[in-house]
Amino acid sequence: MTRADAPSFLRNPLAFVAARWTPDPRIVRRAALTALVMSVVIVVTGGAVRLTGSGLGCPTWPKCTEDSLHNTAEMGVHGYIEFGNRLLTYVLCAAVGWAIVAARSQKPYRRSLTRLGWAQFWVVMGNAVLGGIVVLVGLNPYTVAAHFLLSSALIAVATVMWQRTREGDAEPRPLVGKAVVQLVWFLVAASALLIAVGTVVTGAGPHAGDSSEVARMPVDWEAVAKLHAVLAWIVVTLTFALWFVLKAVDAPKGPLARTRELFVILLAQGVIGYVQYFTDLPEVLVGAHMFGSCVMWIWVLRVLLSLRERPEAAPKPQAVPAQEPAASASIAGPR
């Protein structure tokens, strides 16, 4: 970049980069996938903070302590874990930023991809502020639950963007009938409710996120855990019913494959859930269950997105310039 380019770069850095770089479509897909992977990583490491009792390893925010931006040796391992998780937020921001730049630079320009990238950015910013509030209010379980739910929203947007990088911009064409689509929307709603109730199980359970006394949600933990299990079986039943319907209507391979994969993920997640319940919630299994929740949510959305296809948009016809008439009949006509 030369000195003459500086004003245009400062006015609009994304446009400046897009004018000088055209990424390969594979780079755009990898950038979107990286943002999705990091959105899952930040959830899992946030769970590690909670399960190791490091939630208040940095007792304030945005600094780690009143006098230090980062943790100190006196704070011990909890300070390192909590501050390390905060640093990963910057890695997530970098991944989302790369996805935005790659989407903005793709040719032809796809506004929908760029908007999905910016949506991730603002969700990350909002969740960072909410994470600070979680610390400032002493790990209030309701704010912790909201923190996880907003992370699930980030995963949803990242999943949609990753899918859109592998599609065109034409109008979506359904691959199945309306009744099947409605069944899948029931599956999505039940899965979202399952995740929401799971945050209540966590908020009422024994893993408060800190070694000191932290308030829990005033509900019967075992009763909510049983409700969570019932909802899980509803999701499993809906998934099996969807697979049966897709086989009956001879659906394309895409929806069938995604549904089969989701069914396997749900079974694995159910095994982890029951084992952790009957073994008094060991931290390792709780962390694995959180990871499984993220994977399950991604695959539920992949099932939904597999019900249609979006080919490349047809190029717009270019106007053909009109030919100029001959100057005179004597020139245009035969001699």
Side-chain angles (χ1 to χ4, degrees):
M1 186 177 67
T2 64
R3 184 175 297 180
D5 294 328
S8 59
F9 176 79
L10 293 174
R11 280 196 301 269
N12 194 331
L14 288 178
F16 180 86
V17 173
R20 289 158 177 79
W21 179 50
T22 300
D24 186 274
R26 289 175 297 179
I27 293 178
V28 182
R29 289 194 292 269
R30 288 169 185 168
L33 179 59
T34 301
L36 174 58
V37 170
M38 278 306 306
S39 68
V40 175
V41 169
I42 203 71
V43 171
V44 175
T45 56
V49 170
R50 181 183 187 87
L51 294 170
T52 57
S54 305
L56 295 177
C58 287
T60 188
W61 184 87
K63 292 183 177 181
C64 192
T65 68
E66 294 292 342
D67 303 318
S68 176
L69 183 63
H70 57 83
N71 65 301
T72 61
E74 292 77 11
M75 300 170 68
V77 66
H78 294 311
Y80 284 105
I81 294 174
E82 165 63 10
F83 186 70
N85 185 63
R86 292 189 184 188
L87 288 180
L88 279 177
T89 302
Y90 296 101
V91 180
L92 173 61
C93 288
V96 172
W98 182 34
I100 293 172
V101 172
R104 178 65 180 83
S105 303
Q106 190 176 18
K107 311 294 187 303
Y109 172 57
R110 300 177 63 184
R111 184 183 297 273
S112 60
L113 280 186
T114 307
R115 286 179 172 176
L116 287 168
W118 278 111
Q120 291 181 70
F121 174 79
W122 290 116
V123 173
V124 171
M125 292 297 101
N127 217 11
V129 173
L130 182 56
I133 294 173
V134 169
V135 173
L136 295 176
V137 297
L139 306 182
N140 179 283
Y142 296 101
T143 59
V144 174
H147 195 45
F148 183 83
L149 292 176
L150 198 53
S151 297
S152 298
L154 174 64
I155 291 174
V157 179
T159 302
V160 174
M161 182 177 183
W162 179 46
Q163 175 69 24
R164 294 288 290 114
T165 60
R166 297 178 296 161
E167 298 176 332
D169 282 329
E171 286 297 316
R173 294 201 298 251
L175 298 176
V176 295
K178 187 176 180 180
V180 178
V181 175
Q182 291 175 340
L183 176 59
V184 173
W185 274 112
F186 276 117
L187 173 63
V188 173
S191 301
L193 184 60
L194 175 65
I195 293 172
V197 173
T199 64
V200 178
V201 175
T202 303
H207 293 297
D210 187 65
S211 56
S212 61
E213 188 67 25
V214 175
R216 316 305 298 135
M217 290 183 181
V219 296
D220 185 346
W221 175 81
E222 291 197 3
V224 179
K226 291 175 181 177
L227 173 61
H228 183 66
V230 170
L231 287 170
W233 279 112
I234 291 175
V235 171
V236 170
T237 303
L238 287 172
T239 303
F240 182 77
L242 174 63
W243 179 83
F244 184 82
V245 170
L246 290 172
K247 291 287 287 185
V249 300
D250 196 21
K253 292 182 178 179
L256 270 169
R258 300 294 84 76
T259 303
R260 184 169 57 250
E261 292 161 0
L262 174 61
F263 187 73
V264 173
I265 291 168
L266 287 170
L267 291 182
Q269 180 74 335
V271 169
I272 295 172
Y274 275 109
V275 172
Q276 71 169 359
Y277 178 81
F278 289 111
T279 55
D280 296 326
L281 303 178
E283 287 81 358
V284 173
L285 288 182
V286 174
H289 198 59
M290 289 184 65
F291 173 72
S293 174
C294 297
V295 176
M296 179 212 74
W297 182 230
I298 291 171
W299 249 260
V300 167
L301 296 172
R302 292 195 72 195
V303 169
L304 177 65
L305 295 170
S306 70
L307 301 182
R308 84 285 187 278
E309 62 179 0
R310 299 186 71 156
E312 296 290 339
K316 295 182 180 179
Q318 297 181 351
V320 179
Q323 296 182 352
E324 295 183 3
S328 65
S330 60
I331 297 177
R335 294 185 180 273

